Amino acid sequence: MFANDYNDSVNLLLFLADTNLIMSQRLAEWCGKGPTLELDIALTNIALDYLGQGRLFYQQAASEISGVTSEDSLAYFRDADQYLNLQLSELPNGHWGQTVLKVYLLAEWQQIVYSRLLALSDEQFLKKAASKAIKETKYHLQWSSQWMLRLSNGTDESFSKMQQAINHIWPYVHELKQVPSYAENVLSQLQLEEQFSKNVSATLDQTKLVLPAHFVFNAKGMYGIHTEQLSYILAEMQVIQRNHPNLTW
Amino acid sequence: MEQWPLWEVFIRSKQGLDHKHVGSLHAADPEMAILNARDVYTRRQEGVSIWVVKSEHIHASNPDEAESLYDPSSDKAYRHPTFYKLPDEIKHM
């Protein structure tokens, strides 16, 4: 069973922060390599949105953890098995269509999660953070669903690449419908599962994409169990701070 | 990759002001052009509304005809409303 030194509130903040940070770090790999200048800027904007959201949650987590902790120490000095991000976020970008699919799925997920947080009482940090973040998420959803439809209903080649992306990514989608034990008092498993499936179907129904035959792959990034990919991301992201602790600009 | 069509981008910076031409970009369709314009031209809160127009739909005057088109008006100062005395209450004229 999952256990670390943190309470539920901190773990939920880390779950949200880590998913954003790893997604941001991944998307940043496109910087300077986007298919066009415009899309390069679009994706970099989205990566920065994730980073900004991640920082919000890290700062709050750091303030709730006793001892000397900061957003930087949480980002740079934890190992892969302490990261609670969804496995989806750490998967390689792959081709453009696969990246679009990852952004799309995360946007659907974030929209549901943040909407739920908006129902919390006014003084709660999570509500304030969500009301800021959800505006960005709505744009990510608009941007990525347009691209989903454009590629899926485009040429034979773009369709087959989207289908290939779906086949590859879909096993990791099950985790997006799970509520981790430390978030059970905030999120509803039933609501997340129903809403996510409904919203994603509404988009996929406008395409001829076929979901892979049903099987459940129980990804548990939210409990610190990751694909090998996360270690490589962290190695690159953390190397400077680990070699030169407290280095600043 | 085959080059996507060029679009001209017009941004309204505030409610009540006109849309102003800010630049151009490439996009495959109007929806993409608007989102691209949002990402390229409104990152620093420059606008509240975006228009995009395919560049091919803009017809421009010919620079070679500048003399015949514009010079004739240069010695007709009476076409400017400069011979009226403006009341003090009217500002910004």
Side-chain angles (χ1 to χ4, degrees), chain A residues 10 13 30 33 46 52 54 64 95 100 111 113 124 126 140 143 185 187 191 196 203 216 234 244-245 247:
Chain A
V10 169
L13 288 163
W30 274 104
K33 298 177 187 167
I46 294 176
E64 291 185 19
H95 55 59
V100 163
Q111 161 146 292
V113 170
Q124 285 196 264
L126 285 174
H140 302 166
W143 182 90
N185 57 342
L187 302 174
Q191 192 236 0
F196 184 85
T203 301
V216 173
L234 294 183
H244 308 279
L247 183 77

Side-chain angles (χ1 to χ4, degrees), chain B residues 14-42:
Chain B
K14 265 194 230 157
Q15 297 294 354
L17 294 184
D18 294 334
H19 286 74
K20 263 192 164 168
H21 184 243
V22 294
S24 55
L25 49 73
H26 290 101
D29 52 53
E31 292 76 24
M32 193 199 293
I34 288 181
L35 295 197
N36 282 354
R38 181 262 192 195
D39 286 323
V40 176
Y41 291 111
T42 69

Side-chain angles (χ1 to χ4, degrees), chain A residues 149-167:
Chain A
L149 297 178
R150 187 177 288 122
L151 294 172
S152 307
N153 301 330
T155 63
D156 288 348
E157 185 183 356
S158 70
F159 171 80
S160 77
K161 287 198 165 174
M162 283 316 290
Q163 184 61 59
Q164 177 202 333
I166 289 269
N167 295 346

